[in-house]
Amino acid sequence: MEIKIKNISVTEIKSDLLIVNLFEGTTLPGGATGAVDKELSGLISDYVIKKEGFNGQFGKMYVLSVPNHKNITKVLIAGLGKRDDFNLNKLREICSKIIQKVKTMDNVKNVVSMLHGAGCAGFEPEDCARIIVEGTMIGGYSFDKYKSETKEAVKTFTVVEVDKTKFSKAEEGFSKGLLIGDTINYAKDLITEPAEIITPAKLADIASNLDLDEVKIYEKKDIQNMQMGAFMAVSQGSIHSPRFIHMEYIPKKPKKKIVLIGKGITFDAGGLNLKPATSMMTMKNDMSGAAVVLSIMRNIKKLKPTAEIHALIAACENMPSGSSYKQGDVVVAMNGKSIEIDNTDAEGRLTLADALCYAQQLNPDVIIDIATLTGACMVALGSVASGILGNHDELIQKLIRCGKDGGERLWQMPMYPEYFESLKSDIADMKNSGARGGGTTAATLFLKNFVKDGTPWAHIDIAGTAVIDKPILENPKGATAVGVRTLLNYIMSE
Ligand code: BES
Ligand code: MN
Ligand code: ZN
């Protein structure tokens, strides 16, 4: 599907389907919807609203055939809900739902949409265009490269605005929206691909080919030489050798240095503490954090943040085999701290530990890691919000706001030191797992051992949100690429 923007009136462009909107309770629509209503001699106001009782409730849609119009074949009227409740996150959601509905319709190739929100809702045309594109790309996403038959899809989706000034403002937002949508959807592709395709070597290969200032790939020997004993241990049960990936974007005179870390377990079988089949089914997704940071770096030269950005991925598989690490092993991370292995399925924190040590050596101003880290986070927050924790409340609050602006929900969880009690080891500095309760905080307190106190650091747990089994808000089921919008908003604001 190609997404375009044009400076033309909604009624003067050919469309198989024209999308307009209605706020709840409107009897006589204005703006673009009003213009269409006039062209159709009051069909929307007299028939759809009055006779059919369509009242513009949020998410409700009405499809009207207009066989006699010279340009328009069908009109879809989307309910925006109550005007007072409407905001840009709602706009993103409705646009996603519109395209999902359109995809189920037959004979719709060329879709035209009015620039929702820029009229009586009073939002900036730039924001509206950006959000419409985001929502349409999120809802329009599908991963069907392995399907032998695919349904004929929408060819073009054209956003139109007749007003010249509004249009030129909208154009700017439009191209931003394409970039954000592309970042989200590329991450979704990486997450959805099978683990046999997205191996550590493949991730490294993709990273090496990005348009960046430098990409360093460390192979097994290098990882050993850097004394990343925790990361090495996790990787040793797999036939796929590990890679440590360091991607760099260095603008002129950066004021800040930000390190992003994505958990990159390309498959988490649990290791010798093998997962049951149902839990293992989704574990190709255990590199969702890596996919998010890699996808951001893929577009970073186009996004042009003023901060210096480093992205790190400790990529490996967690597999059971004769060479696997074992319960009771003691491993030593890059900073010299020793860890007794209590459970080989608590592998993410081990790989992140060494990534955090590496990050620290870059002397960053900020470290943010994003990881499908704990089942406990999924138990606590379900698929509705991601968890956020760290050592710096200001950073956490800022990330929560960046998330909110992007339509991603982050919920702060506590860092009470008592949650670390069960990670105390008799023979090493700590264990990698302990009590069942409070697992998300325990994991984060574990990670804290590998971050210097003075470095602002936030950890985002996306175990419940990275991949969803039923739609939530703008996200259809499947990979969500959650974190992309939060982190983009963050790096663009620094
Ligand atoms: N990758 C999992 C966490 C996870 C679970 C992500 C469900 C997405 C959905 C992680 O490596 C893991 O296995 N965590 C264990 C830790 C435990 C052994 C301390 C968990 O949460 O059960
Ligand atoms: Mn695990
Ligand atoms: Zn894992």
Side-chain angles (χ1 to χ4, degrees), residues 1-4 14-19 74 76 95-113 136-137 139-142 144 150-159:
M1 176 173 74
E2 191 193 353
I3 307 184
K4 300 187 280 192
K14 277 227 171 325
S15 59
D16 299 326
L17 182 73
L18 172 65
I19 297 160
K74 279 181 183 157
L76 185 153
C95 289
S96 169
K97 287 181 170 154
I98 290 169
I99 191 70
Q100 290 180 66
K101 158 108 182 160
V102 171
K103 285 204 300 184
T104 67
M105 295 168 68
D106 292 322
N107 302 320
V108 177
K109 291 252 159 53
N110 300 307
V111 180
V112 173
S113 170
T136 304
M137 288 182 76
Y141 176 82
S142 64
D144 38 36
T150 52
K151 205 177 161 277
E152 263 199 285
V154 177
K155 277 219 175 76
T156 62
F157 186 98
T158 313
V159 180

Side-chain angles (χ1 to χ4, degrees), residues 263 268 275 283 286 343 345 347 372-375 378 433 463:
K263 174 175 170 181
D268 181 11
K275 286 183 185 291
M283 283 302 132
D286 213 18
N343 190 315
D345 199 10
E347 85 297 338
T372 46
L373 202 65
T374 64
M378 191 155 78
S433 84

Side-chain angles (χ1 to χ4, degrees), residues 97 100 468-478:
K97 287 181 170 154
Q100 290 180 66
I468 56 182
D469 55 14
K470 50 180 177 309
I472 295 181
L473 301 166
E474 71 276 20
N475 297 306
K477 74 170 183 183

Side-chain angles (χ1 to χ4, degrees), residues 137-200:
M137 288 182 76
I138 289 168
Y141 176 82
S142 64
F143 186 87
D144 38 36
K145 69 187 265 200
Y146 296 116
K147 296 213 169 167
S148 51
E149 273 174 58
T150 52
K151 205 177 161 277
E152 263 199 285
V154 177
K155 277 219 175 76
T156 62
F157 186 98
T158 313
V159 180
V160 300
E161 171 56 54
V162 67
D163 182 286
K164 266 236 152 62
T165 19
K166 278 188 191 169
F167 171 77
S168 54
K169 286 184 190 162
E171 262 188 314
E172 273 174 48
F174 181 85
S175 40
K176 274 189 205 155
L178 285 179
L179 210 49
I180 297 165
D182 179 69
T183 311
I184 293 169
N185 287 351
Y186 185 76
K188 287 187 186 185
D189 281 347
L190 293 177
I191 295 166
T192 313
E193 281 283 6
E196 274 304 289
I197 305 294
I198 303 294
T199 58

